[in-house]
Amino acid sequence: MGATLINDTETERVIGKLVAPLARAANIPDGRTKIHIVNDDDFNAFVMGGEDIYVYTGLLKQIKTPNALQAVIAHELGHTLGGHMAQMSDRMAAEMKRTMLIQALGVGLMVAGGNPTLGAGVLAGSSGVAQQSMLAFTRDEERIADNMGVDLMVRANQNPNGFITVFEQMHDLTGALESRINPNRINHPLTMERLNNVREQIAQIDNDKILNTADNEEYELVRAKLIGYLDTPKQVREKYPSHDKSDMAIYARAIANMRGGNLSGARVGTMTLISRNPNNPYFYELLGDIEYQFGHYDDSVDAYEKSLELVGNAPQIQTALALVLTERDKPGDDARAIEMCKRAILSEPTPMAYWVLARAYGDADVGRNAWAMAEYNKMIGKEAEAKSYAKRAQKKLPKDSPEYIKAGDIIK
């Protein structure tokens, strides 16, 4: 099975803010980096091409400070800056992207095996990640990447002590195992060796150059969100017990309640978060998810509209709003859903956006309905179905329409 990517506006934007200063320090043009969240419990991240950054949910759930996450990404960028990634073929990168499946947090949006499930709750991360044949870097290359990562953090005015935090945590996880390993017979340096190396390097840095600009509260909310969606209810309760009244704990518990069918409890928690943080768009997004699953479509639409008012352009939330509009099906809802999907596709084409777009066109516009389904099937790798829908679309569409031309591209 291909790797599963999670599509979530809040998570991608918070991590994007952490990556941005590192990318600038690495001379990557603004807007060129793309964050991909891999749904897997491995303690891992990697960079492809210097611009596509893949971060595993296992890393996000375990790394407790934003500076520590920055350290991991700075190390991976260090490989790129050191030229170590040149050994990875373009073909392998393309194959990885091709085999990725997308799932969305919130509103039960799911693409799995080409069958979107509506109103069935949130997919809780059961999909596995395929084994990835990544490079086994040499001990010297790992050390160089660590050194370049520390330097990158300093140049980006971020606190390099995140490296110490990461390696201490890694040592806690692997120290007992590594104590039985002959360090001369493995490709990676041992964690304690790397920890001592970065400690020595950081000790030589002028403290006046070390700044900590990362927003810990935003990062903690993202961690709570992922734990709420991806961990079992028991794990959520253990990490965020009922006596914990922090925003992070309420967020995780509200999501876990929604996943478990306790929609009333989920709504109470979410309304508490909104009362405390009336300008947080992602709490309104969660409220939209909850009201949708209640079947309260008017309230769901209101919540998503408020979320979009606060967050601006957000393709996933636009698609969620479009989906609810097609379910509510009041006069004008389909036209607005089409508008929302087109906006989302213009910014970030996804299979679900095309699927909802097809639903919005429906029987009123059979040609564009077929074209949208052709695009949907193309994105999920069903070439035969895509061509079949594209041919059906061309029979109904004017030959000078954009959709007719795009359908022709799919047929070719």
Side-chain angles (χ1 to χ4, degrees):
M1 180 181 291
T4 303
L5 291 182
I6 285 178
N7 178 225
D8 181 64
T9 303
E10 180 180 14
T11 305
E12 291 165 8
R13 291 194 177 186
V14 168
I15 296 175
K17 285 172 64 175
L18 297 175
V19 168
L22 302 174
R24 285 193 292 270
N27 296 318
I28 298 173
D30 288 347
R32 291 284 292 273
T33 55
K34 173 67 176 173
I35 307 300
H36 307 274
I37 311 301
V38 183
N39 182 17
D40 186 80
D41 272 341
D42 279 356
F43 194 89
N44 196 15
F46 61 92
V47 175
M48 277 190 177
E51 297 174 0
D52 285 295
I53 298 172
Y54 293 80
V55 182
Y56 283 51
T57 53
L59 184 73
L60 292 171
K61 289 193 293 181
Q62 294 183 66
I63 292 288
K64 296 182 180 179
T65 70
N67 281 127
L69 179 65
Q70 286 178 310
V72 175
I73 295 170
H75 167 88
E76 296 303 325
L77 287 171
H79 278 303
T80 301
L81 296 173
H84 306 156
M85 302 299 288
Q87 302 169 65
M88 183 178 295
S89 69
D90 291 339
R91 180 178 177 183
M92 178 180 173
E95 180 66 14
M96 168 163 277
K97 290 180 182 178
R98 186 187 69 78
T99 59
M100 292 279 185
L101 299 176
I102 308 294
Q103 74 182 51
L105 296 186
V107 86
L109 299 185
M110 180 176 71
V111 176
N115 295 312
T117 299
L118 307 180
V122 176
L123 179 64
S126 59
S127 299
V129 176
Q131 292 293 322
Q132 299 165 10
S133 180
M134 305 304 290
L135 293 174
F137 294 112
T138 68
R139 293 162 59 83
D140 286 342
E141 285 171 339
E142 287 297 325
R143 196 174 298 108
I144 290 169
D146 288 342
N147 293 342
M148 295 188 78
V150 170
D151 180 64
L152 191 63
M153 290 279 279
V154 174
R155 283 192 279 132
N157 292 324
Q158 306 301 301
N159 193 334
N161 285 310
F163 271 92
I164 294 175
T165 302
V166 169
F167 288 137
E168 286 179 340
Q169 192 167 352
M170 288 175 61
H171 183 66
D172 289 342
L173 293 171
T174 64
L177 175 64
E178 288 188 348
S179 65
R180 301 192 296 272
I181 295 175
N182 181 343
N184 296 315
R185 301 190 66 179
I186 58 174
N187 287 323
H188 278 59
L190 296 178
T191 302
M192 184 54 69
E193 180 184 341
R194 298 173 73 182
L195 175 58
N196 291 335
N197 174 52
V198 296
R199 276 178 173 160
E200 291 175 7
Q201 187 178 359
I202 292 171
Q204 299 172 25
I205 298 171
D206 183 351
N207 286 334
D208 292 338
K209 294 182 179 180
I210 297 178
L211 302 176
N212 185 356
T213 57
D215 189 321
N216 192 63
E217 183 175 351
E218 280 188 340
Y219 179 71
E220 282 296 322
L221 284 171
V222 162
R223 289 186 65 244
K225 183 177 197 173
L226 290 171
I227 289 168
Y229 273 115
L230 302 177
D231 281 8
T232 67
K234 180 181 178 182
Q235 289 171 323
V236 174
R237 288 193 299 271
E238 289 173 350
K239 292 174 183 175
Y240 298 101
S242 58
H243 60 77
D244 186 344
K245 305 302 181 183
S246 67
D247 287 352
M248 298 78 180
I250 295 173
Y251 202 19
R253 293 197 299 264
I255 292 167
N257 280 330
M258 180 181 68
R259 285 178 54 214
N262 180 7
L263 298 179
S264 296
R267 181 200 273 152
V268 169
T270 304
M271 293 305 297
T272 299
L273 292 172
I274 289 173
S275 68
R276 292 181 182 180
N277 308 271
N279 294 318
N280 186 314
Y282 307 111
F283 296 155
Y284 290 100
E285 179 191 12
L286 177 58
L287 181 61
D289 294 351
I290 294 165
E291 299 293 3
Y292 168 75
Q293 295 192 44
F294 261 122
H296 301 164
Y297 297 141
D298 289 344
D299 292 334
S300 180
V301 167
D302 289 345
Y304 284 134
E305 286 178 336
K306 182 63 176 179
S307 178
L308 286 170
E309 176 188 323
L310 292 168
V311 79
N313 184 45
Q316 182 193 336
I317 302 173
Q318 288 165 342
T319 304
L321 173 56
L323 172 62
V324 179
L325 288 168
T326 63
E327 293 248 345
R328 187 174 71 170
D329 200 25
K330 287 184 176 181
D333 278 353
D334 284 342
R336 184 138 183 257
I338 290 168
E339 177 194 354
M340 287 289 107
C341 287
K342 285 183 175 179
R343 285 188 193 177
I345 289 166
L346 189 63
S347 297
E348 186 179 336
T350 62
M352 183 54 71
Y354 279 113
W355 193 91
V356 178
L357 180 60
R359 180 186 176 97
Y361 280 129
D363 294 335
D365 194 336
V366 176
R368 287 180 175 82
N369 169 285
W371 160 73
M373 285 302 296
E375 296 285 1
Y376 163 73
N377 278 283
K378 179 184 175 184
M379 289 199 75
I380 65 171
K382 292 192 172 184
E383 297 293 337
E385 289 88 340
K387 289 181 179 181
S388 176
Y389 274 111
K391 290 175 182 177
R392 195 179 310 172
Q394 285 198 327
K395 291 179 181 178
K396 298 291 185 179
L397 291 168
K399 292 186 177 181
D400 60 349
S401 67
E403 294 84 2
Y404 182 96
I405 296 169
K406 291 174 183 177
D409 292 338
I410 292 174
I411 293 170
K412 292 177 183 177

